[in-house]
């Protein structure tokens, strides 16, 4: 493009996509003076346009020529491709022709190859047939001459050759030859068996031992059936005399002569080792097969003998000692066989690492003794009878021999003797049977554990008649001995259960359970603790009498502690020191102290109602007395401990919780009846219930007995309790509702027997919320109720009862809130003790349930309950 206005436009300006002619013109005519060159510029543009047109025409022409050339080249390519396809098809046709030519050329070669292969197979078959025929003929000759070693080798070859002709049995000649070989096998089998029979019948084993040993090689080639037939014949032959002697003769086959059977077979094994072992190959295990046959035959004999012996004849049955003796001999014999053949098998398999490491399964275990299994119940019955005779003897023995010094760790010697007998009996039974008979023996164990708990331990801890009004309580040493023994029996009973489960078969393991017996012993331990409390209760009874004789309604001022409190603490601490000094386990000391505090708190509550009327000053004096008692009880657990011993915080909380139950009643009694609204408000605050009956009880305690005064106060009480702020109060107080105020005192049925509160009495004075958790406190009274019922039925006098009106039968379990605070569940809190009477099933069941609760509660006092018990002989149980 020519220069415009002296400027050469950029080459790419007109070619730019965003070209703007205005910008271009402004650049060319940037000055008015440049307008003179407009014609020149126009001319130059036209020239440049013409040049572009020429270039476009030239390019169009060139492109048209180029398209024609491309079409021509495509046509040429198609022509060449068609020629290529024709050439490929020609090559394929030539390949087919070549293949046909080669096939025609090699057809004769293939026919020759097939002919060669068929000829080779035919020659091989003919050669094998020749070898089979020759071997068959030689085998017939050798069999007739009884050359068994060569026969075994040829027979194995014949059988291998015959395997190649299985597909040719449709040919008559081959089928005939196959039948001949089978006949020859049967002839050899019969011939070998006949040789064995003749040789053993004539006693020519010494001369023909080598021939028979070679004949065993033939039997081994003939297969498993032939070998089994020979071994079975041998076993029957050797045991024929045994069966004839011991089955045909009743005296020889009796249980008394069982040792003769085993001696006979031991001689038979010696004969086999010396004379017959060289005949049979070792891997046949003929001696083991002979032992199995002997065991099977003997087992069947024993079954018949035992079945006949157990039928009573002239009033006599099978002798248990004889049965055990026979069974023990049988077990020893089985163990001997096991050791003999286990050693043989181990030496035989010593070169095989895998087989030598495999677990050996007993072969002869219970091979004969299985026959005794159904009759071991006779032995179990004998143990039952023996134990039945031991229990009365134990009951007649004193808990401690007179010439033996008492020790806090001592237990009653009969308990160790009983468990020692159990241990020996268990070991003996486990050898005899690990199945149903061991289950039966366990039931016998459980039966006499129950009897020992009820007839021995409970008997020694029970109060007995003394010919006076009060019952005679057992000596303190006897009670401690019973407690230690119950703890030892509990622990050993659990060990016995574990021991039995480890010895019994797995399918019977679930039927072994001695937990109810263990719980019964725990119930006896709880009864022992209650018996210890009974001693304290009797000792402080005069103090309670002094409290009841005090004129609480006439007190004018609150002084120091009451005189009876000092005497009560002195007596309690003295008795507690004596008792705690004999308790060597901390958990029992804790249980004793806990229950003692509960007992005093319950008795104090009962005596409050027997001291009516009580003035406001008297109630305040009682609060002071309770505070002094609480302080004295805080140190009760450490009475026999070294100085500066820390009192457990749980025990202090327990004391506080037990004694604080008395505060609501006394604080309500502190309020004067005038103005009456103050008394009503005090009741709603401290007693905090809506019960009219309970409100009347408080009025009677305060001495408000006039019906007019009571009606006025009751109307006022009903008006106040209906206010919205008292809507959340319960209908009745859990600890005040059961109490019944009567003219002669408080009780459920007229009076409270000393130490023998009935179940209804316990329920009538319960002061805790029993809906939250069952408490064994009242359960102890239930035991006594059942005991007295059983005594009444069987005519035994009630023991431990007293006609005096004492509140010692009151039971007050701990509130649920305190239980959650210190994690302690109260054991029996009453001081009631069992009475002597028949061993009733209901009493036994109650003891078990009580024992479960006591065991659970006692576990919170320290280490696991029942561990570490040691007998006086140093024994740890089963």
């Amino acid at each position: 493009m020519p220069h415009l206005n002296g400027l050469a436009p950029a080459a790419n300006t007109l070619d730019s996509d965003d070209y703007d002619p205005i910008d271009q013109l402004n650049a060319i005519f940037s000055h008015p003076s440049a307008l003179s060159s407009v014609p020149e510029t126009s001319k130059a543009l036209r020239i440049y346009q013409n040049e572009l047109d020429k270039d476009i025409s030239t390019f169009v022409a060139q492109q048209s020529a180029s398209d024609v050339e491309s079409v021509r080249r495509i046509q040429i390519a198609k022509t060449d491709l068609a020629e290529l396809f024709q050439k490929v098809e020609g090559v394929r046709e030539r390949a087919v022709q070549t293949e046909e030519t080669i096939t025609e050329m090699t057809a004769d070669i293939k026919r020759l190859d097939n002919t060669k292969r068929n000829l080779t197979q035919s020659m091989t078959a003919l050669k094998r047939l020749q070898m089979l025929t020759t071997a068959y003929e030689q085998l017939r000759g050798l069999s007739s001459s009884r050359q068994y070693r060569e026969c075994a080798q040829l027979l194995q070859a014949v059988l291998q050759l015959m395997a190649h002709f299985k597909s040719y049995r449709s040919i008559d000649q081959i089928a005939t030859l196959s039948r001949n070989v089978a006949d020859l096998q049967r002839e050899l089998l019969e011939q070998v068996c006949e040789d064995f029979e003749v040789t053993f019948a004539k006693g020519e084993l010494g001369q023909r031992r080598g021939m028979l040993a070679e004949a065993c090689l033939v039997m081994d080639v003939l297969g498993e059936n032939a070998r089994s037939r020979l071994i079975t014949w041998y076993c029957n032959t050797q045991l024929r005399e045994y069966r004839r002697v011991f089955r045909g003769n009743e005296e020889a086959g009796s249980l008394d002569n069982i040792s003769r059977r085993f001696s006979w077979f031991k001689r038979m094994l010696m004969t086999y080792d010396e004379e017959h072992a060289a005949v049979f190959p070792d891997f046949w295990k003929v001696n083991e097969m002979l032992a199995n046959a002997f065991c099977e035959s003997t087992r069947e004999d024993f079954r018949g003998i035992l079945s006949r012996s157990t039928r009573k004849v002239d009033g006599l049955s099978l002798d248990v000692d004889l049965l055990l003796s026979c069974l023990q001999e049988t077990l020893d014999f089985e163990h001997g066989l096991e050791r003999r053949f286990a050693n043989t098998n181990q030496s035989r398999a010593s070169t095989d690492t895998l087989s030598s490491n495999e677990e050996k399964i007993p072969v002869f275990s219970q091979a004969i003794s299985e026959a005794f299994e159904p009759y071991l119940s006779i032995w179990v019955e004998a143990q039952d009878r023996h134990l039945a005779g031991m229990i009365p003897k134990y009951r007649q023995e004193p808990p401690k021999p007179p010439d033996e010094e008492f020790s806090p760790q001592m237990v009653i010697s009969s308990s160790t003797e009983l468990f020692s007998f159990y241990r020996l009996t268990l070991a003996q039974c486990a050898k005899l049977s690990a199945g149903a008979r061991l289950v039966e023996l366990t039931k016998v164990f459980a039966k006499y554990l129950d009897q020992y708990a009820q007839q021995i331990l409970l008997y020694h801890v029970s109060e007995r008649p003394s010919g006076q009004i009060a019952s005679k309580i057992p000596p303190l040493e006897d009670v401690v001995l019973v407690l230690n023994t119950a703890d030892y029996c509990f622990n050993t009973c659990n060990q016995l259960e574990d021991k039995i489960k480890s010895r019994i078969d797995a399918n019977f393991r679930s039927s072994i359970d001695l937990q109810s017996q263990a719980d019964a012993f725990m119930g006896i331990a709880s009864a022992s603790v209650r018996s210890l409390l009974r001693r304290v209760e009797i000792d402080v009874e005069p103090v309670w009498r002094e409290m009841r004789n005090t004129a609480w309604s006439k007190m004018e001022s609150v002084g120091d502690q009451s005189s009876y409190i000092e005497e009560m603490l002195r007596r309690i601490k003295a008795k507690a020191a004596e008792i705690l000094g004999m308790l060597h386990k901390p958990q029992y000391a804790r249980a004793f102290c806990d229950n003692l505090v509960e007992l005093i708190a319950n008795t104090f509550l009962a005596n409050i109602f027997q001291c009516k009327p009580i003035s406001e000053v008297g109630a305040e004096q009682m609060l002071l007395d309770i505070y002094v008692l609480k302080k004295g009880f805080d140190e009760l657990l450490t009475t026999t401990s070294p100085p500066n011993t820390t009192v457990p915080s749980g025990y202090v909380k327990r004391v506080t919780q037990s004694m604080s139950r008395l505060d609501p009643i006394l604080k309500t009694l502190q309020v004067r009846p005038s103005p009456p609204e103050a008394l009503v408000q005090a009741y709603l605050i401290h007693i905090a219930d809506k019960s009219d009956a309970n409100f009347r009880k408080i009025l009677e305690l305060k001495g408000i007995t006039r019906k007019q005064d009571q009606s006025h106060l009751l109307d006022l009480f009903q008006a106040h309790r209906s206010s919205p702020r008292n809507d959340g109060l319960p209908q009745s107080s859990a600890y005040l509702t059961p109490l019944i105020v009567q003219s002669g005192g408080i009780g459920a049925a007229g009076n409270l027997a000393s130490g023998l509160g009935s179940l209804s009495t316990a329920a009538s004075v319960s002061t805790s919320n029993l809906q939250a958790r069952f408490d064994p406190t009242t359960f102890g009274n239930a035991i006594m109720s059942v005991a007295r019922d059983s005594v009444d039925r069987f005519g035994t006098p009630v023991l431990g009862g007293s006609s005096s009106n004492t509140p010692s039968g009151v039971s007050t379990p701990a509130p649920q809130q305190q239980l959650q605070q210190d994690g302690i569940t109260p054991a029996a809190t009453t001081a009631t003790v069992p009475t002597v009477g028949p061993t009733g099933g209901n009493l036994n069941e109650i003891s078990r349930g009580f024992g479960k609760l006591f065991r659970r509660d006692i576990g919170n006092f320290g280490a696991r309950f029942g561990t570490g018990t040691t007998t006086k002989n140093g024994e740890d149980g089963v």
Side-chain angles (χ1 to χ4, degrees):
M1 181 179 176
H3 292 250
L4 301 179
N5 196 17
L7 298 171
N12 60 351
T13 302
L14 296 175
D15 297 335
S16 177
D17 292 337
D18 55 352
Y19 173 74
D20 189 355
I22 301 300
D23 294 339
Q24 184 69 29
L25 290 175
N26 290 333
I28 296 173
F29 303 105
S30 60
H31 195 270
S33 61
L35 293 177
S36 60
S37 60
V38 169
E40 294 178 1
T41 301
S42 175
K43 181 180 178 180
L45 288 174
R46 283 195 293 271
I47 294 172
Y48 182 65
Q49 180 179 5
N50 293 334
E51 290 177 356
L52 289 177
D53 289 340
K54 290 179 182 180
D55 291 340
I56 291 173
S57 300
T58 302
F59 288 146
V60 170
Q62 291 177 356
Q63 185 64 37
S64 298
S66 176
D67 291 341
V68 173
E69 181 65 22
S70 297
V71 172
R72 186 182 65 81
R73 289 178 180 176
I74 291 174
Q75 293 297 329
I76 293 173
K78 289 182 178 180
T79 304
D80 293 342
L81 188 59
E83 292 178 358
L84 180 59
F85 284 153
Q86 291 177 358
K87 290 180 181 180
V88 171
E89 183 65 24
V91 171
R92 189 185 66 79
E93 292 176 356
R94 286 194 297 275
V96 173
Q97 293 175 359
T98 302
E99 183 181 3
E100 292 176 353
T101 304
I102 293 173
T103 301
E104 292 175 358
M105 294 173 61
T106 59
D108 294 338
I109 298 175
K110 288 183 178 180
R111 283 194 294 272
L112 291 174
D113 288 341
N114 291 334
T115 302
K116 180 181 179 182
R117 184 170 58 255
N118 293 336
L119 182 60
T120 301
Q121 291 179 352
S122 300
M123 292 176 64
T124 302
L126 289 174
K127 184 176 181 180
R128 288 174 176 170
L129 181 60
Q130 182 182 5
M131 293 171 60
L132 177 59
T133 305
T134 304
Y136 171 73
E137 295 298 333
Q138 291 178 356
L139 183 60
R140 290 191 65 87
L142 292 174
S143 64
S144 60
S145 61
R146 286 178 167 75
Q147 301 180 34
Y148 290 125
R149 182 179 296 275
E150 292 77 5
C151 281
Q153 298 174 357
L154 278 177
L155 179 59
Q156 188 173 6
V158 167
L159 295 178
Q160 292 177 354
L161 290 172
M162 280 301 304
H164 295 289
F165 291 96
K166 288 183 178 179
S167 58
Y168 301 106
R169 289 185 179 178
S170 59
I171 302 174
D172 295 339
Q173 290 81 356
I174 299 299
T176 301
L177 182 59
S178 178
R179 288 194 295 271
N180 292 338
V181 171
D183 293 339
L184 182 58
Q185 287 179 266
R186 286 191 292 272
E187 291 176 4
L188 277 173
L189 175 61
E190 297 299 331
Q191 181 175 314
V192 170
C193 291
E194 182 181 356
D195 288 344
F196 268 90
E197 293 175 1
V198 172
T199 301
F200 276 87
K202 294 183 177 181
E204 299 176 353
L205 183 61
Q207 298 83 359
R208 307 182 67 179
R209 183 179 291 109
M211 182 195 71
L212 295 182
E214 294 176 354
C216 289
L217 301 178
V218 174
M219 300 296 281
D220 202 35
V221 175
L222 288 175
E224 181 65 28
N225 292 333
R227 185 165 59 245
S228 299
R229 175 180 171 181
L230 180 60
I231 294 175
T232 302
W233 170 85
Y234 172 77
C235 293
N236 291 333
T237 301
Q238 299 303 308
L239 296 176
R240 185 182 298 118
E241 181 66 15
Y242 166 77
R243 291 165 180 162
R244 184 187 65 81
V245 172
F246 290 98
R247 285 185 180 176
N249 191 323
E250 183 176 353
E251 180 181 357
S254 64
L255 292 178
D256 295 332
N257 294 320
I258 191 172
S259 59
R260 292 180 54 190
R261 293 174 177 266
F262 300 143
S263 299
W264 186 94
F265 185 71
K266 290 176 182 178
R267 291 193 299 271
M268 174 59 63
L269 287 180
M270 293 177 58
T271 302
Y272 174 86
D273 293 338
E274 295 173 358
E275 301 178 6
H276 303 166
V279 175
F280 302 100
D282 291 340
F283 66 90
W284 280 19
K285 301 181 181 180
V286 175
N287 54 349
E288 190 171 339
M289 299 293 183
L290 180 62
N292 278 324
F294 172 81
C295 291
E296 291 177 2
S297 179
T298 305
R299 182 175 65 245
E300 296 303 319
D301 290 351
F302 283 176
R303 283 176 176 169
I305 294 171
L306 290 170
S307 177
R308 293 190 298 270
S309 299
T310 52
R311 299 170 188 168
K312 292 186 177 181
V313 179
D314 297 332
L316 300 177
S317 60
L318 180 62
D319 184 14
V320 177
D321 294 335
L322 177 61
L323 177 67
L324 291 182
S325 175
C326 294
L327 181 54
Q328 189 60 51
E329 289 190 42
T330 303
L331 292 174
D332 295 340
F333 176 73
E334 290 176 348
H335 294 161
L337 292 180
E338 198 67 49
R339 288 193 300 269
R340 171 189 173 94
F341 294 109
N343 294 334
T344 304
N345 295 335
Q346 183 177 0
S347 62
R348 185 183 300 118
S350 60
T351 58
D352 187 354
T353 305
L354 180 61
S355 62
S356 62
N357 291 333
E358 289 178 352
E359 183 180 359
K360 301 298 186 296
I361 300 177
V363 178
F364 295 97
S365 177
Q366 296 186 342
I368 303 175
S369 59
E370 182 183 359
F372 290 87
E373 176 73 17
Y375 304 96
L376 286 179
S377 57
I378 299 176
W379 176 78
V380 175
E381 293 172 0
Q383 307 310 309
D384 192 335
R385 291 191 296 271
H386 183 72
L387 287 168
M390 293 171 63
I391 297 299
K393 183 188 71 172
Y394 290 159
R395 180 159 179 171
Q396 295 174 1
E397 297 176 355
K400 180 181 71 68
D403 57 345
E404 191 171 351
E405 185 178 356
F406 175 80
S407 170
Q409 293 82 18
M410 183 182 295
V411 300
I412 300 176
S413 60
S414 59
S415 63
T416 60
E417 294 177 8
L418 179 66
F419 280 105
S420 177
F421 177 80
Y422 276 14
R423 180 173 59 251
L424 297 176
T425 307
L426 173 61
Q428 189 175 15
C429 184
K431 293 180 180 179
L432 308 179
S433 171
R437 303 291 83 80
L438 190 52
V439 175
E440 293 180 7
L441 182 64
T442 304
K443 294 179 180 178
V444 173
F445 286 171
K447 172 184 175 182
Y448 288 100
L449 285 175
D450 287 336
Q451 291 192 16
Y452 186 83
Q454 298 300 323
Q455 299 185 21
I456 309 301
L457 299 184
L458 188 60
Y459 171 78
H460 288 307
V461 82
S462 301
E463 296 184 9
R464 291 184 278 281
S466 61
Q468 302 173 1
I469 296 177
S471 300
K472 178 182 178 182
I473 62 175
L476 179 59
E477 291 184 355
D478 290 358
V479 177
V480 175
L481 280 174
V482 171
L483 177 61
N484 293 340
T485 304
D487 177 70
Y488 163 73
C489 292
F490 169 80
N491 186 38
T492 313
C493 191
N494 291 327
Q495 295 179 9
L496 177 64
E497 178 181 342
D498 296 338
K499 192 71 172 179
I500 295 174
K501 287 183 177 180
S502 67
R503 305 291 292 270
I504 202 169
D505 293 338
N507 53 332
F508 292 100
R509 200 163 294 158
S510 60
S511 60
I512 303 302
D513 184 10
L514 295 177
Q515 285 306 307
S516 61
Q517 285 69 39
D519 292 335
F521 285 117
M522 188 51 53
I524 299 300
S526 176
S528 301
V529 173
R530 295 196 308 276
S531 181
L532 297 176
L533 295 174
R534 173 69 171 148
R535 309 180 73 86
V536 181
E537 181 186 24
I538 294 175
D539 195 49
V540 299
E541 176 55 32
V543 181
W544 295 122
R545 191 179 302 112
E546 181 183 351
M547 175 185 174
R548 292 191 297 271
N549 293 333
T550 301
W552 296 99
S553 62
K554 298 180 180 180
M555 285 191 176
E556 298 180 354
S557 63
V558 178
D560 208 352
Q561 65 187 34
S562 301
S563 59
Y564 74 92
I565 290 296
E566 182 178 359
E567 178 65 16
M568 180 185 295
L569 285 175
R570 186 188 66 78
R571 293 186 177 220
I572 290 176
K573 289 183 177 180
K575 278 295 181 182
E578 180 185 7
I579 293 173
L580 292 176
M582 293 186 176
L583 300 179
H584 74 286
K585 280 200 169 184
Q587 57 264 38
Y588 289 118
R590 173 68 187 276
F592 169 77
C593 291
D594 280 348
N595 285 278
L596 179 57
V597 173
E598 290 288 340
L599 171 66
I600 299 302
N602 297 335
T603 311
F604 200 107
L605 175 63
N607 279 278
I608 289 176
F609 282 83
Q610 292 197 5
C611 293
K612 68 182 182 74
I614 301 174
S615 66
E616 292 77 15
V617 177
E620 187 175 355
Q621 181 66 49
M622 285 186 178
L623 279 174
L624 177 61
D625 295 342
I626 291 173
Y627 176 79
V628 175
L629 276 178
K630 175 183 173 303
K631 289 301 181 182
F633 288 156
D634 286 344
E635 301 175 354
L636 185 64
L637 185 59
T638 57
T639 302
T640 58
S641 302
N644 301 325
T645 301
T646 304
V647 181
S649 59
Y651 171 73
V652 175
K653 291 180 180 179
R654 181 66 175 271
V655 172
T656 302
Q657 166 261 317
S658 299
M659 301 304 295
S660 62
R661 291 201 306 271
L662 305 175
D663 292 349
I665 296 178
L666 295 177
K667 287 181 179 179
T668 304
L669 294 177
Q670 274 186 291
V671 180
R672 297 180 179 275
S674 179
E677 289 82 1
L679 178 60
V680 172
Q681 290 297 335
Y683 180 90
L684 293 175
I685 292 173
H686 298 300
I687 307 299
D689 72 0
K690 299 181 180 181
S691 174
D692 293 345
N694 290 345
F695 186 69
R696 286 195 185 94
K697 295 175 186 177
I698 297 298
L699 297 181
E700 292 184 12
L701 282 177
K702 291 185 67 63
I704 304 175
T705 57
R706 292 178 55 190
K707 292 185 178 180
Q708 182 178 358
D709 296 339
Q710 286 191 0
S711 299
H712 174 67
L713 289 170
L714 187 60
D715 293 339
L716 190 60
F717 170 71
Q718 293 173 350
H720 279 273
R721 76 180 181 187
S722 301
S723 64
R725 63 179 180 179
N726 294 322
D727 290 341
L729 296 180
Q731 292 298 324
S732 60
S733 172
Y735 66 91
L736 186 58
T737 300
L739 298 176
I740 301 175
V741 180
Q742 298 178 351
S743 58
I746 177 173
N751 61 5
L752 294 175
S754 176
L756 286 175
S758 65
L759 180 61
S760 60
T761 304
S764 67
V765 296
S766 176
T767 61
S768 74
N769 186 2
L770 297 182
Q771 296 177 354
R773 179 176 181 267
F774 176 76
D775 193 287
T777 301
T778 57
F779 203 54
N781 290 332
I783 294 179
M784 302 320 307
S785 177
V786 175
R788 282 201 309 276
D789 292 344
S790 62
V791 168
D792 294 341
R793 287 196 302 270
F794 289 92
T796 303
V798 176
L799 304 175
S802 176
S803 61
S804 60
N805 275 343
T806 61
S808 56
V810 181
S811 63
T812 307
Q816 184 68 18
Q817 179 181 4
Q818 183 62 31
L819 296 178
Q820 297 172 352
Q821 290 177 357
D822 55 13
I824 298 176
T825 305
T829 59
T830 61
T832 55
V833 295
T835 56
V836 178
T839 306
N842 50 1
L843 179 58
N844 192 25
E845 293 301 322
I846 292 175
S847 297
R848 293 173 182 172
F850 198 19
K852 292 179 181 179
L853 295 171
F854 191 71
R855 177 180 58 179
R856 180 180 59 193
D857 299 336
I858 206 78
N860 295 316
F861 300 147
R864 179 182 181 275
F865 178 80
T867 58
T869 301
T870 305
T871 68
K872 70 173 183 176
N873 298 325
E875 299 179 1
D876 291 330
V878 179

